[in-house]
Amino acid sequence: AVSTYLEENPNPDVLGLVQAAKNPDLLVTGAITLDGSNLITSAAVVWPDGSPGTLTITSRDANGAVLAYNITYGSPVSKTFSQPAITRNSAGAATNVPAIVVS
């Protein structure tokens, strides 16, 4: 998925965006939407190049830890960066973090 996308689009800017997508907390700026448990469900983001986007949490574990999310890039949206579900052990530590998928 990511490797195929990056192989087809060997643009260092895209690789930089994938790296930024791995740390969505660093991109959040502006309005944040919370659920009834005060957990983020979505948030406005600004990418390092100034482009806008939206972070959407798509899956959490029973303790509220984020398992999967999508972040859009651009207005109109030109790319979506998706973190497939992270596997966590019973203590909540990540044991498998799949690569970000770009579409």
Side-chain angles (χ1 to χ4, degrees), residues 13-76:
D13 293 336
V14 173
L15 182 56
L17 294 174
V18 169
Q19 292 301 321
K22 289 183 177 188
N23 294 299
D25 291 350
L26 301 177
L27 301 175
V28 173
T29 185
I32 296 173
T33 303
L34 304 174
D35 66 11
S37 299
N38 282 325
L39 298 174
I40 293 174
T41 58
S42 64
V45 302
V46 175
W47 291 87
D49 67 1
S51 296
T54 302
L55 166 67
T56 304
I57 306 302
T58 57
S59 179
R60 292 184 180 274
D61 68 13
N63 297 317
V66 173
L67 297 177
Y69 58 86
N70 297 321
I71 308 175
T72 62
Y73 174 86
S75 180

